[in-house]
Amino acid sequence: MIPELGHFALALALALALAQTLVGLWGAHRAEARLMAATGPIAAGILIAVAAAAGCLVWAYVVNDTTVLNVVQNSHSAKPLLYKISGTWGNHEGSMVLWVLILALCGGAVAAFGTNLPSALQARVLAVLGLIAAAFLGFILATSNPFSRVWPPAPDGQGLNPILQDPGLAFHPPLLYLGYVGFAVTYAFAVAALIEGRVDANWGRWVRPWALAAWSFLTLGIALGSWWAYYELGWGGYWFWDPVENASLLPWLAGCALLHSAAVVEKREALKTWTVFLALVAFGMSLLGTFLVRSGVLTSVHAFANDPARGLVILALLAVFIGGGFALFAWRAAAMVPTGVFAPLSREGALVLNNLLLCSIAAVVLVGTLYPMFADLLLKEKISVGPPFFNLATLPLAVPLILGMGVGPLLAWKRARLWPVLQRVWWAALAGLAALLLCRALAGERIGPALGFGAALWTIAAALADIADRIALFRRPQSAWARARFLPRAAWGGALAHAGLGVTILGLAGMGLATDKLALLKPGEATTLAGVEYRLTGITTVQGPNWTARRATVELREGGALITTMQADKRSFAVSRMNTTEAAIHTTWARDLYLVMGEERDGGAVLRIHDNPLAPWIWLGAAIMALGGGLSLSDRRVRVSAPAARAVRAEARA
């Protein structure tokens, strides 16, 4: 009975989404206040219906209802409770329910917190969100029903993919989807603005918080996925330019550009058409990622292996929403004439450069990701595009981007002079140059890590210089603390996000100096890497809740002193008949000591050992970036538009 209630809730949500679309568009077109006001309660109804459906699916997993096909294919009675719950989105059907649930949350948030929006704009935004929800709910009900029954019931389920049975993967998809789907709100604002033919500073203020929230969640989601791949897959690296990794990076780059562009619209009412264009692109990249993961056109440990038929439906949705959005853009963009004028050397000019470089990097990643598929389809040639291409193609674009990040925030709006800015960041440039030269001397022929350390120190020091300039630390030090206390949280958040990127670059540079070693050891034997002795003390069999493992126990010593004891597993899951590798990692602020157990041979085991300098800083920097975004979002001046709600309503009525 519970699965039928979940299926009915999805159908009800589809009907409400269609009603929200029609009522919102017609009410805004006819300026009917009652119809426009009805979109908010309908959005709340969609949220309740989709939440009920998601709850029913979670219930089916928790009680291991083997009359539900989705549960049989992706769960098992022996799974821990956490993985029974996270298993609801560890498959195509359940992940689409999560996708729509987050979309309904976004619609409910626009209805609840968008009371200061003009009624017509809010109604159109909710109508567009309703249309997106209706399309994906229809897709779920027609091709991906998570509540399909199977009879007679199976004795037990087939289990979840073992590599997904991990705490990191329990939280990675929700965070990633909050970013993906969050850009649907900025897309809806862009389409609503195109319908009205008007974009102004208020529109920039309304769009920017949603872009900031989506970007922050996406940053956390990407970082958590990267960390999971690092410790779970046993590859010893942080990023492999996997097509699905790239699919999440593309909306992140577009969203980052959108954030900065929206600031120009808000401050100067310039770059209006470009900002609307970026809002369409950011959501388009999110839909593209959804298509790549579920279409079966690529092979990846991150991808859902589904039939191409459902991938074609998602491709059709991508064509409708993005093609329709760009068609509307081509028709209405001319009406959005920019009013702000600025010199090339200005804060606006720096943000334009930022946008061009971010979009260029996104274009490189997009071409490198999609070209092998098109070459296979059209030319019947198998082409592999890997890290060497992406590293070489993005580095020349990343260098000026990082240099501009340090100078841009110190430039004045509209028109600026370069020399006063350089006088305020000379010490940051000196710190970056010193780090580059020192690392170049120590690293020998490897120029990449030296560039990374220099860029990292420059970025962090320039963020500090920005705060120092805002509080006049060097000009009027006696009152700097008082100014720091009243500095807007958005200013602190922006500097913190920039510094977080510097911390991540520091970790990437350190990984450029990583060393590794393969060693066949028998119990009692030892090997040495980077001054650390690894001694295998034993190999045992361990029984887990739903797996059996062969475990290698290794003692680590440095200078004769015991550092720690590490245990690396090779796990076997009987239900799914799959094996996984569980890496052992000893983390310090300075480095990761990383150990993977390979095959057993001659009474011993093959161990792969990595010494990864500064590896933890990669994910620490991402957390700092997201924290900076959250701090900016907590600033009321970012969340709430400047005009009072009554004034906005009066303007809308006029």
Side-chain angles (χ1 to χ4, degrees):
M1 183 64 182
I2 298 296
E4 279 69 32
L5 287 176
H7 188 260
F8 172 76
L10 288 177
L12 176 62
L14 173 60
L16 290 173
L18 291 172
Q20 178 176 305
T21 301
L22 295 175
V23 168
L25 290 177
W26 184 252
H29 177 69
R30 301 289 297 177
E32 290 282 350
R34 287 182 298 177
L35 290 179
M36 290 188 288
T39 55
I42 296 175
I46 296 172
L47 176 57
I48 293 171
V50 177
C56 291
L57 186 60
V58 171
W59 180 89
Y61 269 80
V62 170
V63 301
N64 198 45
D65 186 353
T66 54
T67 66
V68 178
L69 179 61
N70 190 259
V71 175
V72 174
Q73 292 175 337
N74 300 285
S75 190
H76 190 271
S77 59
K79 275 199 318 181
L81 179 61
L82 173 63
Y83 303 137
K84 286 183 179 180
I85 296 173
S86 64
T88 59
W89 54 76
N91 59 87
H92 167 74
E93 291 81 3
S95 69
M96 293 309 301
V97 173
L98 177 64
W99 207 101
V100 176
L101 174 62
I102 294 175
L103 183 61
L105 280 170
C106 291
V110 172
F113 302 113
T115 54
N116 60 331
L117 296 173
S119 299
L121 179 63
Q122 184 186 32
R124 288 190 174 102
V125 169
L126 288 173
V128 175
L129 291 175
L131 183 61
I132 298 171
F136 279 90
L137 285 165
F139 169 72
I140 292 172
L141 291 170
T143 69
S144 309
N145 181 12
F147 299 105
S148 296
R149 292 283 198 174
V150 58
W151 195 262
D156 210 334
Q158 300 171 10
L160 180 67
N161 187 335
I163 66 172
L164 302 181
Q165 296 184 38
D166 181 86
L169 258 291
F171 302 102
H172 164 63
L175 289 173
L176 198 67
Y177 283 14
L178 281 167
Y180 271 8
V181 184
F183 287 121
V185 180
T186 59
Y187 171 87
F189 270 97
V191 172
L194 288 170
I195 294 173
E196 291 187 0
R198 189 179 98 175
V199 172
D200 54 16
N202 293 338
W203 183 89
R205 294 188 188 100
W206 292 319
V207 166
R208 197 169 170 219
W210 296 103
L212 185 59
W215 178 85
S216 299
F217 281 120
L218 190 56
T219 300
L220 287 176
I222 293 173
L224 189 56
S226 169
W227 184 48
W228 166 80
Y230 174 72
Y231 72 77
E232 175 67 23
L233 299 181
W235 295 344
Y238 55 90
W239 192 266
F240 303 93
W241 294 105
D242 179 275
V244 178
E245 289 179 326
N246 295 348
S248 63
L249 181 62
L250 288 168
W252 187 88
L253 291 168
C256 194
L258 173 62
L259 264 178
H260 294 85
S261 182
V264 180
V265 176
E266 178 184 350
K267 297 291 185 181
R268 302 289 304 151
E269 292 202 31
L271 303 183
K272 295 179 182 179
T273 55
W274 176 247
T275 304
V276 170
F277 176 82
L278 285 176
L280 301 177
V281 168
F283 184 57
M285 294 297 101
S286 298
L287 289 181
L288 179 64
T290 304
F291 165 72
L292 290 176
V293 172
R294 290 166 178 80
S295 63
V297 299
L298 52 85
T299 301
S300 167
V301 296
H302 308 76
F304 294 109
N306 282 290
D307 59 281
R310 287 191 285 196
L312 288 175
V313 177
I314 297 176
L315 184 61
L317 295 178
L318 174 66
V320 167
F321 286 111
I322 302 309
F326 282 125
L328 186 61
F329 178 82
W331 178 42
R332 299 286 285 174
M336 296 179 291
V337 180
T339 57
V341 179
F342 56 88
L345 184 59
S346 61
R347 179 84 64 87
E348 298 94 327
L351 291 173
V352 169
L353 177 63
N354 160 284
N355 273 220
L356 292 175
L357 292 170
L358 284 170
C359 290
S360 298
I361 294 173
V364 169
V365 176
L366 180 66
V367 171
T369 303
L370 297 184
Y371 181 73
M373 292 186 291
F374 284 108
D376 186 20
L377 179 66
L378 302 177
L379 305 178
K380 305 302 179 184
E381 295 183 3
K382 296 291 184 181
I383 297 176
S384 177
V385 177
F389 165 79
F390 290 108
N391 293 335
L392 289 174
T394 57
L395 182 61
L397 299 169
V399 170
L401 176 65
I402 293 170
L403 291 175
M405 277 178 51
V407 175
L410 295 169
L411 292 172
W413 291 100
K414 194 173 181 179
R415 189 183 304 277
R417 291 185 301 154
L418 186 59
W419 179 244
V421 174
L422 295 179
Q423 288 179 311
R424 285 174 275 178
V425 297
W426 66 267
W427 59 273
L430 188 62
L433 182 61
L436 188 153
L437 294 176
L438 179 61
C439 183
R440 185 75 175 92
L442 297 176
E445 296 298 324
R446 288 181 286 185
I447 186 63
L451 287 173
F453 280 112
L457 266 293
W458 156 256
T459 304
I460 296 170
L464 294 176
D466 179 29
I467 294 297
D469 182 68
R470 289 175 182 271
I471 64 175
L473 179 63
F474 301 117
R475 299 191 300 274
R476 294 187 294 276
Q478 65 277 5
S479 56
W481 172 246
R483 281 188 292 274
R485 289 172 54 200
F486 295 102
L487 191 66
R489 286 195 296 272
W492 286 105
L496 192 62
H498 283 192
L501 180 60
V503 172
T504 292
I505 296 172
L506 200 62
L508 302 182
M511 284 290 286
L513 301 174
T515 55
D516 61 86
K517 182 178 184 179
L518 276 174
L520 173 60
L521 300 180
K522 296 179 181 180
E525 295 181 342
T527 187
T528 302
L529 177 67
V532 177
E533 179 187 89
Y534 296 77
R535 182 173 298 276
L536 179 64
T537 61
I539 302 174
T540 57
T541 300
V542 180
Q543 182 65 49
N546 61 338
W547 47 263
T548 302
R550 292 289 288 169
R551 174 170 294 172
T553 302
V554 180
E555 289 184 349
L556 277 64
R557 296 179 181 272
E558 189 171 19
L562 179 66
I563 301 174
T564 187
T565 299
M566 301 173 68
Q567 295 178 326
D569 291 359
K570 284 185 68 68
R571 294 181 181 177
S572 176
F573 291 77
V575 174
S576 59
R577 299 178 182 178
M578 291 181 64
N579 299 322
T580 65
T581 298
E582 296 292 321
I585 305 174
H586 176 66
T587 298
T588 68
W589 286 109
R591 61 180 175 176
D592 275 353
L593 303 177
Y594 188 104
L595 176 68
V596 179
M597 179 182 177
E599 64 179 21
E600 295 184 56
R601 186 189 305 165
D602 301 328
V606 176
L607 300 180
R608 189 169 80 251
I609 306 165
H610 297 260
D611 184 86
N612 297 334
L614 300 181
W617 294 65
I618 297 173
W619 301 285
L620 174 64
I624 293 173
M625 282 190 276
L627 178 63
L631 187 60
S632 294
L633 198 60
S634 70
D635 192 330
R636 189 176 183 276
R637 281 167 288 193
V638 173
R639 295 195 322 272
V640 182
S641 59
R646 292 180 181 177
V648 172
R649 296 290 186 185
E651 179 187 352
R653 286 193 296 270

